[in-house]
Amino acid sequence: MTNDWMNDPALAGIDQAKLSFLQALVFESRTMKKDQMLPFLMAVAKRGQSEHITFSNEEIDTIAATIKNYSTAEEAVTIDKMMRLRKK
């Protein structure tokens, strides 16, 4: 996945700082193994809190849908799984 998703018009109403935070998350997690992801995500959540970065449900849905448009089929499946888990 490239950074092109950050310039999608669907994201125009979302603060650029939030999108940059997400891009850093994607970049940092690319080479991680599955067993490294949970500690990483916990650290990211803590970093987000310290930087006062929060996302509304609408922002999360919009971002996920937009990222899927720029993702491979495999990445899209992973996004769908994450979104299902989020809604449980």
Side-chain angles (χ1 to χ4, degrees):
M1 178 174 33
T2 65
N3 293 348
D4 295 340
W5 68 271
M6 290 180 62
N7 299 316
D8 192 288
L11 302 176
I14 299 176
D15 186 340
Q16 191 63 38
K18 291 180 179 184
L19 297 176
S20 295
F21 178 81
L22 286 176
Q23 183 59 32
L25 168 76
V26 169
F27 179 76
E28 291 172 26
S29 66
R30 278 193 172 152
T31 60
M32 291 188 172
K33 297 176 184 169
K34 287 183 181 183
D35 63 332
Q36 297 172 309
M37 287 303 289
L38 184 58
F40 173 74
L41 292 174
M42 297 297 287
V44 165
K46 188 172 184 176
R47 187 171 67 197
Q49 286 178 337
S50 70
E51 294 178 17
H52 305 288
I53 295 176
T54 59
F55 296 90
S56 69
N57 288 332
E58 183 179 316
E59 288 175 325
I60 292 169
D61 292 341
T62 300
I63 291 166
T66 302
I67 290 174
K68 274 182 64 174
N69 291 335
Y70 294 85
S71 299
T72 65
E74 183 179 299
E75 290 168 334
V77 168
T78 301
I79 291 168
D80 286 339
K81 286 179 186 177
M82 289 175 20
M83 293 303 289
R84 281 193 301 274
L85 286 172
R86 179 183 156 268
K87 292 182 180 184
K88 284 186 178 184

